Amino acid sequence: MKNTILCLSLLYFSILYPQKSLEARFLEKTNFDGEYFMGVDQYDSFYFIDDETLYKKNANRIQSYSNLQLGAIDQVQLFNALKIVVLHKQQNSVVLLDNRLAELIEINFNIMSPSQLVQHVALGSDTTFWIFNALTLQLELFDYETKSIKLSTLPLGEEVLAIESDYNNVYALTPSYFFQFNYTGSMVQKIKLDSFERFRVLNDILIVQKKDELFYKYNTGDEFKILEIPKNLIKQFFVMNQTLYIYDGEFLHHYQLIKD
């Protein structure tokens, strides 16, 4: 009798609160010549790095950015196409670019006080961007006009693999956890994750990579599900405008993401 009641209860809740799913529907496969695929902006311009130069390519032209003094480009954040954030780790510097890839501002953190060792960067709101300071293991909101830290999160306890942001939140992936903090630096969620390498946030969906597989989870659920896509090498992946892009080192695979 108890088992019957339990089964009926599970059936009731599964009908009332069905598990949402996500489908990746194949659109096309295109040739891609860049060394590193960095992503796509809101206006369907593609970004890639080749020979320490960042390129922006659309239907009309190709634009480029490089800085011989700062050297290699380690990270590019494309959340806002009018304020593209570029990190040069070796020189501990961050450069902000406009939509023509012209330099708006350059911040050298070697001369900042207190000391900061920037390992990851993501755009904030107004005149700020988020940095992960490897000296304190904290996410810090840096104001590039006043050259000051506006706030810091609690220490994350270990290195960070990647960070992303939107106007209201900053997200960080470590070898052990996924963190979400709001614009005041308060923790919103902390999820136990092991052996994941990269992530993207699509509105209410978290997509994470483990080797050559992608998994997803809705904010309202606790379970990660595998995203069903053909088996391919995943060198980089990116999500923009409900489209998933996967670069396998030779081709760029386009998928439309469809919520159930």
Side-chain angles (χ1 to χ4, degrees):
M1 182 65 180
K2 289 183 179 180
N3 290 336
T4 301
I5 295 175
L6 177 59
C7 290
L8 289 174
S9 298
L10 292 174
L11 178 61
Y12 170 78
F13 282 106
S14 67
I15 295 173
L16 188 61
Y17 304 105
Q19 291 292 315
K20 295 181 180 180
S21 62
L22 184 67
E23 178 188 353
R25 184 173 297 172
F26 178 75
L27 296 174
E28 62 177 336
K29 181 175 72 172
T30 56
N31 288 311
F32 198 82
D33 298 327
E35 186 178 1
Y36 298 100
F37 169 63
M38 304 310 295
V40 183
D41 66 21
Q42 302 98 315
Y43 309 104
D44 295 326
S45 294
F46 290 77
Y47 297 76
F48 60 95
I49 292 176
D50 218 349
D51 195 22
E52 298 188 356
T53 299
L54 172 66
Y55 292 93
K56 175 184 178 181
K57 182 179 181 180
N58 55 38
N60 300 316
R61 58 178 171 171
I62 297 179
Q63 298 164 296
S64 64
Y65 158 81
S66 63
N67 190 314
L68 295 178
Q69 291 183 328
L70 298 181
I73 298 170
D74 295 281
Q75 293 173 22
V76 179
Q77 286 283 329
L78 301 173
F79 174 67
N80 183 342
L82 303 179
K83 290 183 179 181
I84 300 167
V85 188
V86 176
L87 172 62
H88 298 266
K89 280 188 183 181
Q90 188 173 1
Q91 299 301 324
N92 201 27
S93 297
V94 175
V95 176
L96 200 64
L97 306 176
D98 66 13
N99 62 335
R100 299 166 300 158
L101 300 192
E103 293 189 25
L104 295 172
I105 192 168
E106 177 184 323
I107 303 295
N108 182 354
F109 283 91
N110 293 313
I111 61 176
M112 294 291 128
S113 181
S115 298
Q116 291 147 317
L117 181 59
V118 180
Q119 294 295 294
H120 296 275
V121 63
L123 187 67
S125 59
D126 300 324
T127 60
T128 66
F129 48 75
W130 290 94
I131 64 172
F132 174 69
N133 186 351
L135 299 179
T136 62
L137 299 182
Q138 292 173 289
L139 295 173
E140 300 173 343
L141 186 62
F142 182 81
D143 190 311
Y144 53 80
E145 282 198 348
T146 62
K147 307 292 194 302
S148 63
I149 295 294
K150 298 186 69 173
L151 60 89
S152 301
T153 66
L154 294 171
L156 304 188
E158 56 185 344
E159 66 173 321
V160 161
L161 302 176
I163 70 172
E164 297 286 342
S165 65
D166 52 39
Y167 291 120
N168 297 312
N169 302 277
V170 60
Y171 312 89
L173 178 67
T174 75
S176 305
Y177 293 97
F178 172 81
F179 294 90
Q180 177 184 349
F181 298 91
N182 64 20
Y183 64 93
T184 68
S186 299
M187 187 185 299
V188 176
Q189 63 173 331
K190 178 181 179 181
I191 303 172
K192 179 67 176 175
L193 288 178
D194 290 319
S195 304
F196 287 93
E197 305 160 30
R198 301 181 185 94
F199 76 94
R200 297 289 175 188
V201 176
L202 173 64
N203 299 325
D204 58 339
I205 304 173
L206 170 62
I207 303 175
V208 291
Q209 178 186 350
K210 179 183 288 188
K211 296 183 179 179
D212 290 325
E213 292 184 312
L214 297 179
F215 300 82
Y216 69 93
K217 184 186 80 68
Y218 280 83
N219 287 345
T220 54
D222 297 321
E223 178 187 359
F224 277 91
K225 298 180 180 180
I226 190 167
L227 184 61
E228 298 293 344
I229 54 176
K231 296 295 182 184
N232 282 305
L233 175 68
I234 302 178
K235 289 193 67 175
Q236 290 99 35
F237 83 97
F238 196 81
V239 179
M240 176 60 70
N241 296 335
Q242 301 296 127
T243 302
L244 167 67
Y245 302 88
I246 295 178
Y247 181 49
D248 65 8
E250 183 178 4
F251 297 100
L252 191 61
H253 304 257
H254 306 233
Y255 298 88
Q256 182 182 4
L257 292 177
I258 302 171
K259 297 180 182 180
D260 184 6

